[in-house]
């Protein structure tokens, strides 16, 4: 997609590195990436992210005065800080300094939609109450509150967070710029009063070994579609406990091992239905099913239609885990 410039909005797959008006853009990705960038206030910008890729390398301005507020609307996001990983799923919010994170982001499900708000406290007014009376918000206070305790703050999906973000995803274009300003102020006011020590707030951090284990298991399952792989077998192959396997898969991909196996097989089957002349029975056998009825039921539970219906009229599916 060619780069488009309209009313301070930037939409692109890969933007020229020389672009000076936007300090947040993609250098490289292995899929489709669309970012829409808005300047909200001095020192505050907002980026809508629509991503159908597993890996993205971002260029972002790095400074000790910058922090980011990220909200996940759909999909799953993996961030890395030093030797730890954190994960966000639908409804989650995170606050961190980009200098603490790698520029390369990973999306385990090949699917992510969300918003990132970038704040440079050296360029913002000390207090934003001048924009709206009685809104007492200090960006520097927010950065110190959330970023001095740990590298990354992650909050579990809460109705109060959803309420702040939901309307940002469906605002009419003619009022979008003004609405973003109001909502960003509202979000910062909300964060000013949130208790970082409540039970609803969690740190979703996992080790490098957990990530590697989950990725290796996913790859092994892809290479053994025609067999019924059991948890006990994986435990013997990877020399770890069943509990470690289940927790690592859940941490990285946000789903159970059983669901991962089913999703992988059904999406692989969908590709064969679309691109080959193999019969449904043959495709079922290639994915470890000796019963066409059970295969059809499993396929519909993941894809939404039966194998026969899919072959007659393929629907667009996400490349989850493949």
């Amino acid at each position: 997609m060619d780069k488009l410039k309209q009313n301070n909005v930037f939409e692109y797959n890969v933007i020229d590195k020389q672009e000076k008006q936007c300090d947040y853009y993609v250098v490289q990705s292995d899929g489709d990436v669309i970012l829409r960038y808005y300047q909200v206030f001095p020192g505050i910008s907002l980026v809508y992210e629509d991503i159908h890729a597993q890996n993205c390398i971002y260029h972002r301005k790095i400074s000790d005065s910058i922090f980011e507020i990220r909200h996940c609307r759909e999909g799953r996001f993996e961030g890395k800080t030093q030797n730890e990983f954190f994960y966000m799923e639908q409804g989650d919010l995170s606050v961190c300094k980009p200098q603490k994170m790698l520029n390369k982001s990973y999306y385990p499900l090949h699917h992510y939609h969300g918003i990132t708000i970038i704040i440079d406290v050296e360029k913002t007014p000390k207090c934003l109450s001048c924009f709206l009376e009685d809104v007492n918000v200090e960006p520097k206070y927010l950065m110190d509150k959330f970023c001095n305790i740990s590298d990354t703050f992650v909050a579990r999906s809460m109705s109060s967070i959803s309420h702040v973000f939901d309307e940002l995803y469906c605002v009419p274009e003619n009022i979008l710029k003004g609405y973003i300003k109001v909502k960003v102020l509202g979000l910062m006011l909300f964060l000013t009063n949130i208790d970082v020590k409540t039970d609803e707030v969690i740190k979703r951090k996992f080790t490098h070994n957990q990530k590697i284990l989950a990725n290796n298991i996913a790859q092994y399952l892809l290479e053994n579609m025609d067999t019924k792989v059991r948890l006990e077998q994986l435990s013997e192959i990877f020399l770890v406990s069943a509990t470690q396997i289940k927790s690592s898969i859940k941490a990285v991909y946000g789903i159970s091992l059983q669901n991962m196996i089913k999703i992988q097989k059904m999406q692989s089957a969908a590709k064969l239905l679309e691109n080959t002349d193999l019969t449904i029975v043959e495709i079922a056998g290639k994915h470890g099913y000796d019963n066409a009825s059970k295969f059809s039921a499993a396929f519909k539970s993941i894809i939404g239609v039966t194998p026969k219906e899919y072959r007659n009229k393929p629907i667009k599916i996400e490349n989850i885990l493949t």
Side-chain angles (χ1 to χ4, degrees):
M1 179 181 295
D2 293 333
K3 180 174 61 178
L4 303 176
K5 297 183 182 180
Q6 294 180 343
N7 301 323
N8 204 31
V9 179
F10 295 82
E11 185 171 271
Y12 40 78
N13 279 1
V14 179
I15 193 169
D16 186 343
K17 293 182 181 180
Q18 300 304 311
E19 175 60 69
K20 300 300 184 183
Q21 294 174 279
C22 180
D23 55 12
Y24 182 94
Y25 55 85
V26 176
V27 177
Q28 181 181 339
S29 74
D30 60 2
D32 295 325
V33 177
I34 297 177
L35 308 179
R36 290 181 292 142
Y37 174 94
Y38 294 83
Q39 189 71 42
V40 184
F41 297 115
I44 302 177
S45 55
L46 180 146
V47 183
Y48 286 95
E49 301 172 283
D50 297 312
I51 296 167
H52 295 274
Q54 192 166 61
N55 293 282
C56 281
I57 299 176
Y58 288 101
H59 173 86
R60 47 162 66 92
K61 185 178 179 182
I62 303 298
S63 168
D64 194 48
S65 66
I66 295 176
F67 71 104
E68 297 179 350
I69 303 169
R70 178 184 292 270
H71 179 259
C72 173
R73 185 189 190 190
E74 294 179 12
R76 194 165 181 83
F77 170 83
E78 173 190 286
K80 186 176 188 301
T81 61
Q82 297 182 351
N83 294 318
E84 292 184 314
F85 296 85
F86 70 93
Y87 294 89
M88 294 177 62
E89 57 190 38
Q90 182 175 341
D92 287 355
L93 174 144
S94 70
V95 184
C96 69
K97 288 185 175 181
Q99 69 175 16
K100 299 288 187 179
M101 296 175 59
L102 295 183
N103 278 342
K104 183 176 181 180
S105 293
Y106 180 71
Y107 304 91
L109 305 182
H110 291 256
H111 173 77
Y112 177 83
H113 298 282
I115 287 174
T116 296
I117 299 168
I118 307 160
I119 302 174
D120 187 338
V121 299
E122 288 188 351
K123 295 180 179 180
T124 61
K126 182 179 179 182
C127 180
L128 295 176
S129 60
C130 56
F131 292 104
L132 198 63
E133 189 177 358
D134 297 325
V135 177
N136 186 18
V137 173
E138 296 185 25
K140 179 66 164 59
Y141 167 79
L142 290 177
M143 182 173 71
D144 292 341
K145 176 179 180 177
F146 291 100
C147 300
N148 285 349
I149 298 175
S150 64
D151 290 343
T152 304
F153 167 91
V154 180
R156 187 192 302 272
S157 177
M158 295 184 280
S159 59
S160 51
I161 292 176
S162 298
H163 179 72
V164 174
F165 279 97
D166 282 351
E167 293 177 348
L168 275 173
Y169 293 106
C170 55
V171 184
E173 189 67 32
N174 62 323
I175 63 169
L176 181 59
K177 292 177 70 174
Y179 201 86
I180 285 176
K181 292 183 179 183
V182 173
K183 277 297 188 179
V184 168
L185 282 175
L187 171 64
M188 296 173 72
L189 182 63
F190 169 78
L191 291 176
T192 298
N193 292 281
I194 195 173
D195 183 357
V196 297
K197 296 181 180 179
T198 63
D199 291 337
E200 290 181 307
V201 176
I202 62 171
K203 296 175 183 177
R204 294 185 175 178
K205 292 190 176 181
F206 303 93
T207 66
H208 179 74
N209 288 339
Q210 285 177 295
K211 171 184 163 55
I212 295 301
L213 175 61
N215 291 164
N216 287 344
I217 290 172
Q219 185 60 38
Y220 177 84
L221 294 174
L222 283 173
E223 294 170 356
N224 292 273
M225 288 283 186
D226 58 340
T227 61
K228 294 182 179 180
V229 180
R230 302 189 181 281
L231 180 59
E232 295 75 15
Q233 293 175 271
L234 294 174
S235 183
E236 293 177 2
I237 293 169
F238 291 96
L239 303 177
V240 295
S241 70
T243 299
Q244 285 177 286
I245 291 174
K246 290 190 290 186
S247 63
S248 295
I249 292 294
K250 183 67 174 178
V252 174
Y253 295 102
I255 55 178
S256 68
L257 175 65
Q258 184 178 4
N259 282 342
M260 167 182 269
I261 293 172
K262 184 184 289 187
I263 289 171
Q264 285 183 325
K265 288 188 175 185
M266 296 309 109
Q267 291 198 329
S268 171
K271 291 180 181 178
L272 292 181
L273 286 166
E274 188 173 350
N275 300 313
T276 74
D277 293 324
L278 293 172
T279 68
I280 292 176
V281 172
E282 289 173 328
I283 292 174
K286 284 183 174 293
H287 294 87
Y289 285 82
D290 52 16
N291 184 300
S293 296
K294 289 184 178 179
F295 169 71
S296 181
F299 188 91
K300 186 174 182 178
S301 71
I302 298 300
I303 306 302
V305 295
T306 66
K308 184 177 180 180
E309 291 170 333
Y310 184 85
R311 170 159 273 173
N312 291 336
K313 189 177 181 181
I315 62 174
K316 183 178 181 182
I317 60 174
E318 300 291 345
N319 293 320
I320 301 175
L321 307 175
T322 60

